[in-house]
Amino acid sequence: MASMSTAFPKTTPFLSHPLAKSDSLIATTVSFPSSSRSRSLRRATRGVRSALIEPDGGKLVELVVPEPRRREKKHEAADLPRVKLTAVDLQWMHVLSEGWASPLRGFMREAEFLQTLHFNSLRLDDGSVVNMSVPIVLAVDDEQKALIGESKRVALVDSDDNPIAILSDIEIYKHPKEERIARTWGTTAPGLPYAEEAITNAGNWLIGGDLEVLEPVKYNDGLDRFRLSPFELRKELEKRGADAVFAFQLRNPVHNGHALLMTDTRRRLLEMGYKNPILLLHPLGGFTKADDVPLSWRMKQHEKVLEDGVLDPETTVVSIFPSPMLYAGPTEVQWHAKARINAGANFYIVGRDPAGMGHPVEKRDLYDADHGKKVLSMAPGLERLNILPFRVAAYDKTQGKMAFFDPSRAQDFLFISGTKMRGLAKNKESPPDGFMCPGGWKVLVDYYDSLSLSGNARLLEKVPV
């Protein structure tokens, strides 16, 4: 993984990516609600500590084989039955290998799969509960299952048949695709991007076991220096002396409404008694649907946001979150929040319709826009995480900038949807002054210009090898 020498000193440009659904209003909803969780939070800040929140299970799981044993493990893998991984499988292997899903130690066996599917959580041996809302599983087909036979270990290989991991003490069980889709998305309607990419045509069996990854995952796309593991992020946050870490996930370009939200959150945390709150700007780096702006372009846009001073590099850490995107709304947003605990975040900003999308068949949102933030405030295993719902930000025509929405003068505000933003960029039209920094907007225009020149709906990106 990236070395800590790339952990963003103030002279280093920042690149990076998700947000609300692609067609949601670019109106980011941060209030600090008056819930019981918020009241206890305010009481807790009277004795602020600089130690980071503990990872789930009390210890960060790291599943990459130590350097001295890699040659030995590669020899072992050469003699094992093989399971070829898809690009999405590789991304989940990356997630597991670095401990984002701690305390998981590999692809889920059936008991873990069923707990996740039915309870959105896992019960540990000591009786405690950690959140786990999306299955992290590996599918195999009938032919692969037959080749594995009675073996208790398999080698996981890339598209070139190179062994990249070993799965041990394996368990193979039925892949209930319809139930998995129904319980994860709340619908089995055709057109769910992730389901079509990774589930519908996948094998009829799931294989789980203990994972050993032979080498750190590299994408070789020029962005590996921004893919900090939870361990590396914790080290960087401690180096910066963070006494609060607030995470913001996005899969879209950053506009000035998002920046207002993040800077206002830091101001509020300072008012609550924290001395050095650090923002973890954490774009999603795995699979996304075709109309989302690709990671490489989002990273260029984020770089300009920091270069232009819209966000402060001294109090911001930008890193890529390697998870694929499911677009599973309130179910998936729990995964996004839980993973950030393992990276050291004790605050999580949640917006309108997080991880949501339009219904794949009907002309409506797939999820209620408010359910994500409500679910996070009640989700089992997330009690240690402070949830910060957005305040709505929109373009204030009287001030010529993004501002928090004032319903008493609603006529003064302009809400710019994702569709509208993309349409302006595609047509090389400028948004209102103050909507996005000029350098960031130019990156977005250049991206859509590159599509028209190539004739492709979306430029392809490299996948990990």
Side-chain angles (χ1 to χ4, degrees):
M1 288 306 296
S3 69
M4 290 312 298
S5 64
T6 63
F8 323 120
K10 65 180 179 180
T11 56
T12 302
F14 294 75
L15 309 172
S16 185
H17 110 273
L19 258 200
K21 62 176 188 154
S22 63
D23 226 357
S24 67
L25 294 178
I26 303 279
T28 52
T29 64
V30 155
S31 71
F32 289 66
S34 57
S35 65
S36 59
R37 180 178 286 192
S38 303
R39 289 193 294 271
S40 65
L41 169 107
R42 281 192 281 269
R43 286 196 297 271
T45 60
R46 293 171 188 167
V48 172
R49 299 184 306 146
S50 61
L52 299 179
I53 189 172
E54 281 193 351
D56 276 344
K59 183 179 180 181
L60 195 61
V61 170
E62 294 181 283
L63 303 177
V64 178
V65 174
E67 176 68 42
R69 300 193 61 204
R70 287 177 190 168
R71 178 177 294 184
E72 168 198 344
K73 288 294 179 181
K74 288 177 182 179
H75 283 305
E76 290 180 20
D79 296 326
L80 296 174
R82 297 186 166 203
V83 173
K84 184 170 290 190
L85 302 186
T86 67
V88 172
D89 293 335
L90 280 162
Q91 291 166 11
W92 283 121
M93 188 191 78
H94 184 182
V95 164
L96 290 166
S97 72
E98 294 182 341
W100 296 101
S102 292
L104 273 185
R105 301 197 62 85
F107 288 102
M108 291 178 174
R109 298 181 177 90
E110 188 174 36
E112 295 164 325
F113 173 71
L114 290 175
Q115 288 182 72
T116 296
L117 210 59
H118 292 271
F119 311 129
N120 286 0
S121 59
L122 298 173
R123 187 171 297 279
L124 306 185
D125 291 341
D126 63 3
S128 63
V129 170
V130 298
N131 193 272
M132 195 64 241
S133 63
V134 300
I136 302 181
V137 291
L138 178 59
V140 295
D141 59 25
D142 293 348
E143 183 180 355
Q144 288 175 309
K145 180 176 182 291
L147 289 173
I148 293 168
E150 299 301 315
S151 176
K152 298 304 292 180
R153 305 171 76 208
V154 296
L156 307 183
V157 302
D158 64 16
S159 58
D160 295 322
D161 280 332
N162 298 311
I164 54 177
I166 295 173
L167 204 61
S168 301
D169 193 19
I170 62 171
E171 177 183 348
I172 299 178
Y173 55 101
K174 287 271 192 179
H175 185 183
K177 296 181 189 179
E178 183 178 22
E179 182 182 9
R180 178 183 171 190
I181 293 170
R183 288 190 175 274
T184 303
W185 283 272
T187 180
T188 55
L192 297 168
Y194 182 90
E196 292 193 343
E197 176 74 20
I199 299 177
T200 305
N201 297 316
N204 294 321
W205 306 91
L206 297 176
I207 178 171
D210 296 329
L211 182 67
E212 296 174 285
V213 177
L214 302 183
E215 292 191 22
V217 176
K218 297 287 186 181
Y219 291 70
N220 301 315
D221 58 357
L223 301 177
D224 282 329
R225 67 191 185 279
F226 296 110
R227 292 185 174 95
L228 299 186
S229 70
F231 175 82
E232 290 170 322
L233 279 170
R234 285 174 171 270
K235 187 174 178 181
E236 173 64 13
L237 293 166
E238 288 172 352
K239 186 172 76 174
R240 295 198 186 200
D243 58 0
V245 179
F246 58 108
F248 184 64
Q249 169 171 298
L250 64 165
R251 68 171 189 267
N252 286 328
V254 173
H255 60 66
N256 290 350
H258 303 137
L260 171 65
L261 169 65
M262 290 180 267
T263 55
D264 188 68
T265 299
R266 186 171 196 276
R267 178 187 64 80
R268 297 295 298 271
L269 290 172
L270 288 168
E271 288 180 352
M272 292 163 60
Y274 290 97
K275 301 301 182 186
N276 189 28
I278 297 294
L279 165 65
L280 173 57
L281 183 62
H282 213 199
L284 184 140
F287 165 83
T288 55
K289 55 190 176 67
D291 61 346
D292 281 340
V293 178
L295 175 65
S296 58
W297 288 91
R298 283 183 278 118
M299 294 293 283
K300 291 177 184 178
Q301 195 270 348
H302 296 351
E303 177 181 22
K304 294 300 182 184
V305 167
L306 277 97
E307 282 184 358
D308 290 356
V310 178
L311 293 173
D312 180 8
E314 291 295 314
T315 59
T316 304
V317 173
V318 180
S319 183
I320 296 172
F321 178 45
S323 176
M325 187 75 193
L326 277 67
Y327 306 91
T331 297
E332 184 178 11
V333 75
Q334 296 174 64
W335 158 241
H336 293 166
K338 173 251 173 50
R340 276 36 182 253
I341 291 176
N342 287 329
N346 53 337
F347 292 86
Y348 186 77
I349 301 174
V350 60
R352 178 188 182 275
D353 196 16
M357 57 174 280
H359 194 283
V361 176
E362 303 171 18
K363 297 189 79 173
R364 62 179 177 86
D365 288 348
L366 184 54
Y367 306 108
D368 185 293
D370 292 327
H371 281 183
K373 64 184 179 184
K374 291 179 179 178
V375 164
L376 281 186
S377 69
M378 302 180 287
L382 294 182
E383 293 84 1
R384 298 182 298 135
L385 187 66
N386 300 293
I387 306 304
L388 308 177
F390 284 9
R391 285 172 62 191
V392 177
Y395 187 78
D396 187 340
K397 294 179 286 186
T398 65
Q399 299 185 55
K401 65 179 184 179
M402 298 295 285
F404 290 126
F405 178 67
D406 181 354
S408 69
R409 51 184 189 91
Q411 70 282 357
D412 294 333
F413 288 87
L414 176 65
F415 290 91
I416 302 175
S417 70
T419 298
K420 176 69 172 176
M421 181 183 71
R422 289 192 297 272
L424 291 172
K426 288 175 184 176
N427 296 326
K428 299 183 181 180
E429 299 176 30
S430 297
D433 288 343
F435 172 74
M436 185 184 290
C437 66
W441 183 254
K442 184 180 184 305
V443 170
L444 199 56
V445 171
D446 288 347
Y447 164 63
Y448 285 109
D449 195 36
S450 73
L451 292 184
S452 62
L453 289 173
S454 68
N456 294 328
R458 172 171 170 173
L459 295 181
L460 296 177
E461 293 189 278
K462 292 181 180 179
V463 296
V465 294

